[in-house]
Amino acid sequence: MKAIRVHEFGGPEVLKLEEVPTPKPSAGEVLVRIHAAGVNPYDTYMRAGTYALRPTLPYTPGSDGAGTVEAVGEGVKKVRRGDRVYTGRTLSGAYAEYALALEEQVHPLPANIDFKQGAGIWVPYGTAYHALHHSANAHASETVLVHGASGGVGIAALQIARAVGLKVLGTAGTPRGLELARREGAHQVFDHRKPGYQEEILQTTGNRGVDIILEMLANVNLSHDTKLLPNNGRVIVIGSRGEVTINPRELMGRRASIRAFTLWGITPSEEADIHAGIFAGLENGTLRPIVGKELPLAEAARAHKEILEPGSAGKIVLIC
Ligand code: NAP
């Protein structure tokens, strides 16, 4: 089979398309014919060797794939050959024609969701679901600011928050991103490149502030976020690419909090909750993964460059 292999940590150029043996499923494992693989920012941190999780070299990147079950190992009951599935992590890597996964890492893909969309489920929707429901404990009567609403996690968060009933505000940095954020659930959108946009957000809420901020770039925004919160407001740090200084007094006066997590650290019961919620939302049409760009597997390096560039508009997926 064809697979992307990384033999050394480094820039996008270390992603090489190679011919490797197709794996065989052992007991409790599933072999999936991957039709599309989702590209996530953490794939690039991992490839660079700068992420908390450092895979053993050589490895194939990718946790998010979608396709059909090719074969199952002994004892697998959840899926059968031919079933349509998406993966939430794999054993052998999703940037490949076939990926091996544990039985608990494959999940049914509803008939109304195609494979490209299926490649954009686990990390984006899992993160957004966990941020809103588990970390922020969001309520329908609250207002959420999705700070970075045009990318994978942001669009998922808009759709989930809107379906639950929250008042939804979103930011993006381009006209295309702003339009997408509005279309996918934001009641109001703001340009995070425009000076003073935070003041506009505050004014929109009658100077009360937003109950929840889902923050995609904490190193840039966290200090100002603390000033946008009302009493009991909370910032959920989802993404950060550096250090930041904050004034804790902004939190103290508001009884506010900053919470953070990584998707890798959630509990099995939270994970089960997430997949159940995602499946229901995909099936009933409230959750609709948006594919912004499709690239062939051979162009994984280009995908890794582009995922870190501004101007997001949905997911980048590799066609395998
Ligand atoms: P993505 O698809 O590349 O989207 C990035 C988003 O950040 C876009 O909406 C982009 O908007 C926005 N952004 C750019 N500049 C910003 C600014 N100054 N203020 C606010 N937002 C800004 O990435 P993603 O998959 O959505 O992931 C978002 C972040 O969360 C990444 O850093 C990722 O590593 C992290 N993440 C963390 C977890 C976790 O477990 N904690 C899980 C998934 C993702 P424009 O392009 O329109 O400017």
Side-chain angles (χ1 to χ4, degrees), residues 231-294:
N231 263 0
N232 295 315
R234 49 266 190 225
V235 181
I236 312 301
V237 175
I238 295 175
S240 186
R241 294 187 179 157
E243 296 186 357
V244 62
T245 302
I246 64 157
N247 180 356
R249 283 194 174 160
E250 299 287 356
L251 300 172
M252 291 156 70
R254 295 172 167 86
R255 301 163 55 103
S257 56
I258 299 171
R259 301 177 194 171
F261 68 90
T262 70
L263 196 57
W264 314 115
I266 64 172
T267 65
S269 72
E270 286 170 333
E271 190 166 335
D273 200 24
I274 288 171
H275 286 292
I278 289 176
F279 185 85
L282 292 170
E283 207 179 29
N284 70 26
T286 51
L287 307 185
R288 306 162 303 275
I290 303 294
V291 176
K293 186 172 280 183
E294 298 167 28

Side-chain angles (χ1 to χ4, degrees), residues 7 16 27 37 53 59 65 73 76 79 83 111 136 172 197 230 234 242 263 293 301:
H7 291 271
K16 308 276 189 216
L53 300 177
Y59 79 100
V76 170
V79 291
D83 283 358
Y197 75 97
R234 49 266 190 225
L263 196 57
K293 186 172 280 183

Side-chain angles (χ1 to χ4, degrees), residues 39-42 45 51 123-124 127 147-155 171-174 177-178 192-193 197 215-217 220-221 237-241 260-264 306-315:
V39 177
N40 289 295
Y42 93 88
Y45 319 149
Y51 198 53
V123 169
T127 302
H147 214 167
S150 49
V153 179
I155 290 170
T171 77
T174 62
L178 290 164
H192 52 228
R193 290 199 202 162
Y197 75 97
E215 185 49 73
M216 305 303 156
L217 201 55
V220 172
N221 298 320
V237 175
I238 295 175
S240 186
R241 294 187 179 157
F261 68 90
T262 70
L263 196 57
W264 314 115
E306 294 189 4
I307 184 83
L308 296 182
E309 288 168 1
S312 311
K315 289 296 303 175

Side-chain angles (χ1 to χ4, degrees), residues 4-63:
I4 295 293
R5 301 291 282 164
V6 174
H7 291 271
E8 56 177 328
F9 296 117
E13 68 283 355
V14 302
L15 299 167
K16 308 276 189 216
L17 184 69
E18 293 179 3
E19 197 75 39
V20 297
T22 305
K24 288 194 172 50
S26 301
E29 295 176 357
V30 177
L31 183 68
V32 182
R33 169 68 179 98
I34 300 286
H35 291 293
V39 177
N40 289 295
Y42 93 88
D43 298 343
T44 72
Y45 319 149
M46 204 178 247
R47 182 216 68 228
T50 56
Y51 198 53
L53 300 177
R54 267 169 80 96
T56 307
L57 295 170
Y59 79 100
T60 295
S63 53

